Amino acid sequence: MYMKKYFIVFIICLFTSISCQNSIDIPVQKIKYKGIDRTLGLLQQSSEKEGNDIEIIFYGQSIIGGLKPNILIDSLKSHYPYAKITYKHIPIGGFTIPKLLKTAEHDLFHENPDLIIFHAYGGIEDGLYDSLVKNIRSKMTSDILLLDHHYVWNKPVSKLEKINKIHDRDSKEIQKIATKYGCGIVKIREHWKNYLLENNIEPNMLMGNTVDPNVHPNDRGNSLLRSILLAKLIEKPKVIYNEQKDSLRAFYEFKKVESFNTNFKGNWFDLKTNGSNDDQMKIEVLIDGKKPNKFRSNYYISRPSKGYKSWMPAILNVSLGKPFPIKEKWTIELFDINRELKTFSFKLKGDVTGADGIGNSMTDFISNSGRIEIRKNDFYIFQIEQLLKSKTPENFKIYFSVEEIVQDTLTLNKKDNKYNLFRSSNVESHKIDLNILSGKPSIEGILINQPYLNLKE
């Protein structure tokens, strides 16, 4: 009897030893997930017990602008009722790749979505489309879904043939760029052509009012575009997503409530909670012993406000100068507008700095404090006037602000379970300390992100 018990214990110990040894000796093979496999995994792995958060940004120009993404998102939610899907729709109609290359600095790089859905024209021959995707890939962890071009409508036939030739070429190049940078691709052009053939209709039936030449899909065209996108977002991923194998993201789980600090290497850090917090819970964030506002990488400039009677920003790009940034609201006031010479003057004022210099549209501008820099070619005043046939009034004001990505103190709530902790300029090691100021927050851990491209490697 004794020998039998001893034998059973021995077998259990031997099995446990082998299992432990195997778990130690066999490391998890990391994968750099390509396309939108991670996003598809988050959607499809959501359950009633645990719904994954998926953040989507729609970016580009007017084709994305007219998409009506709320309809697409509602359809996506009906397929994945347990996924927690949120989105932002921030395209700029009329802005081709050369302009979006500049506005992306204001619109994208302070965000950390799971997916960016993007379409725009231009930038192929001069390499700017490639540069924009490379910029996103080297600064963000997000999946990217690129759309090539649909079939537009124009007259006469010879003009339409020329446009189609260019769009055929550019669509092929967009597909190559997607492959080069590991992006997802939706071959809109291929699907669009098949739809035209299957329904025996001409491209104009999906464009504008079906009579006048137009690049913009009408309701039927947008419905087709959304259905093509939806099919992509519910397809089976090529590789099943496993967060433990993700080489761009690592989740550090806090085992002890008393100790919320550790070292991480990455360029973007998110705090994850279980969503059961109330509005009285506050946490102080320290990065390498300092508050986030002590890091230059924690600051960005918002998209400048719209031009006169326009949806387009009045300035394409505003840069932070050499002095250390501060959170501040800025106003530019135009005066002495001369349309014959295509010139104007302006004065800059910050709500903290105060009056900070006078400039003109003929020279690059650095404010008196050095905090703000604007290149002369980035003003978009007269281009908007030409497009919209409207005159910008004297003393017209343009607004933008210097914002902080992360606040020094986080206030937790029941609505959110992910909070930005820190953005670094590069992939670097940092020590993060979270000090509880009030309440007993339900902290799960920290998600550490790295960009798809590390240009310093």
Side-chain angles (χ1 to χ4, degrees):
M1 187 71 176
Y2 175 80
M3 289 299 293
K4 185 179 289 187
K5 288 183 179 179
Y6 180 82
F7 180 74
I8 292 172
V9 172
F10 174 78
I11 292 297
I12 293 173
C13 292
L14 178 62
F15 178 79
T16 304
S17 176
I18 292 173
S19 299
C20 294
Q21 187 175 4
N22 286 341
S23 65
I24 295 172
D25 294 343
I26 302 176
V28 175
Q29 184 177 358
K30 296 290 186 177
I31 300 172
K32 183 182 283 189
Y33 287 93
K34 296 182 179 180
I36 61 168
D37 284 345
R38 177 180 181 269
T39 299
L40 295 178
L42 292 177
L43 288 166
Q44 296 175 15
Q45 293 166 19
S46 292
S47 63
E48 185 175 7
K49 184 178 180 181
E50 184 175 2
N52 292 318
D53 294 286
I54 297 98
E55 301 174 26
I56 302 174
I57 286 182
F58 293 86
Y59 198 56
Q61 56 182 122
S62 58
I63 306 306
I64 292 291
L67 179 64
K68 296 182 180 179
N70 60 306
I71 300 176
L72 173 63
I73 295 299
D74 286 344
S75 299
L76 194 60
K77 287 180 178 179
S78 69
H79 278 272
Y80 304 113
Y82 301 118
K84 302 171 185 176
I85 306 170
T86 57
Y87 76 95
K88 290 183 179 179
H89 185 226
I90 53 172
I92 307 175
F95 270 35
T96 55
I97 291 291
K99 299 180 185 68
L100 293 173
L101 190 60
K102 296 182 177 183
T103 58
E105 297 287 338
H106 301 301
D107 297 336
L108 291 182
F109 303 139
H110 63 282
E111 300 276 4
N112 187 30
D114 299 287
L115 174 65
I116 298 171
I117 298 177
F118 179 81
H119 174 270
Y121 291 105
I124 295 295
E125 291 186 299
D126 53 14
L128 295 182
Y129 195 115
D130 185 287
S131 295
L132 177 55
V133 176
K134 183 179 180 180
N135 276 358
I136 296 172
R137 277 310 211 187
S138 63
K139 296 181 180 181
M140 304 178 74
T141 317
S142 312
D143 289 347
I144 307 174
L145 185 59
L146 302 178
L147 282 59
D148 65 13
H149 305 321
H150 63 286
Y151 279 86
V152 305
W153 169 242
N154 215 314
K155 300 176 183 177
V157 174
S158 58
K159 189 173 184 179
L160 181 58
E161 288 176 347
K162 183 179 179 181
I163 293 172
N164 279 333
K165 186 176 180 180
I166 294 172
H167 287 184
D168 282 340
R169 178 204 66 194
D170 287 359
S171 292
K172 290 178 182 177
E173 290 303 314
I174 291 171
Q175 293 169 26
K176 291 179 182 178
I177 291 171
T179 300
K180 179 179 179 180
Y181 293 111
C183 305
I185 181 72
V186 184
K187 297 180 180 179
I188 299 294
R189 197 161 185 79
E190 179 181 308
H191 289 287
W192 209 275
K193 181 180 180 180
N194 291 337
Y195 183 89
L196 295 173
L197 292 173
E198 291 169 2
N199 292 274
N200 194 28
I201 59 175
E202 296 297 321
N204 65 304
M205 297 305 295
L206 302 177
M207 309 308 299
N209 60 12
T210 75
V211 177
D212 300 315
N214 207 305
V215 69
H216 300 110
N218 54 27
D219 287 344
R220 184 177 178 182
N222 275 318
S223 178
L224 173 60
L225 183 57
R226 288 192 298 270
S227 68
I228 296 170
L229 269 173
L230 180 63
K232 182 69 177 181
L233 293 172
I234 63 175
E235 72 179 16
K236 185 177 180 180
K238 295 178 181 178
V239 179
I240 302 300
Y241 180 69
N242 182 337
E243 70 173 16
Q244 292 184 339
K245 295 182 178 181
D246 193 339
S247 64
L248 301 183
R249 301 167 187 84
F251 185 70
Y252 181 88
E253 183 179 1
F254 287 119
K255 299 294 184 180
K256 295 181 180 180
V257 177
E258 299 82 12
S259 178
F260 295 128
N261 62 80
T262 190
N263 294 296
F264 301 113
K265 184 177 182 180
N267 78 319
W268 194 286
F269 308 92
D270 293 318
L271 176 70
K272 299 293 290 290
T273 72
N274 65 14
S276 63
N277 300 294
D278 60 38
D279 294 338
Q280 302 302 316
M281 298 184 182
K282 297 182 183 297
I283 296 176
E284 179 189 48
V285 181
L286 295 177
I287 312 295
D288 301 330
K290 297 183 290 187
K291 295 182 178 181
N293 67 11
K294 300 301 181 183
F295 292 84
R296 188 180 181 89
S297 60
N298 192 45
Y299 295 86
Y300 72 97
I301 295 180
S302 65
R303 181 195 292 182
S305 60
K306 302 170 184 177
Y308 183 63
K309 291 186 176 181
S310 172
W311 64 88
M312 295 172 276
I315 308 174
L316 303 181
N317 187 268
V318 179
S319 300
L320 292 170
K322 292 181 180 179
F324 193 85
I326 57 173
K327 186 175 181 179
E328 186 168 11
K329 294 180 180 179
W330 292 89
T331 302
I332 286 179
E333 184 175 340
L334 307 183
F335 64 95
D336 289 345
I337 301 173
N338 189 321
R339 291 179 180 82
E340 184 177 347
L341 298 177
K342 297 292 183 184
T343 62
F344 58 83
S345 296
F346 62 89
K347 51 187 176 182
L348 175 69
K349 183 178 180 180
D351 68 347
V352 177
T353 304
D356 205 21
I358 296 175
N360 61 72
S361 59
M362 296 177 289
T363 58
D364 293 341
F365 173 77
I366 300 177
S367 69
N368 291 346
S369 68
R371 294 189 184 282
I372 300 298
E373 298 182 5
I374 307 173
R375 294 189 176 186
K376 60 182 180 181
N377 293 332
D378 286 339
F379 280 100
Y380 207 62
I381 304 300
F382 292 122
Q383 293 90 331
I384 290 175
E385 288 193 352
Q386 184 178 0
L387 286 168
L388 302 182
K389 312 302 179 186
S390 61
K391 291 185 178 180
T392 306
E394 285 284 316
N395 307 118
F396 179 73
K397 292 182 175 63
I398 305 166
Y399 304 97
F400 60 89
S401 58
V402 177
E403 301 286 353
E404 295 178 1
I405 294 175
V406 182
Q407 303 299 313
D408 297 339
T409 301
L410 296 180
T411 300
L412 308 186
N413 58 65
K414 293 181 179 180
K415 180 181 177 182
D416 302 315
N417 60 5
K418 187 174 80 169
Y419 303 83
N420 294 335
L421 283 182
F422 183 60
R423 180 189 73 164
S424 178
S425 300
N426 302 298
V427 177
E428 300 168 326
S429 293
H430 295 282
K431 183 176 185 294
I432 297 181
D433 291 279
L434 305 178
N435 299 320
I436 300 173
L437 301 180
S438 63
K440 294 181 179 180
S442 53
I443 295 175
E444 292 184 351
I446 294 178
L447 182 65
I448 309 107
N449 301 268
Q450 296 189 28
Y452 186 89
L453 290 178
N454 188 349
L455 299 181
K456 291 198 172 184
E457 287 184 344

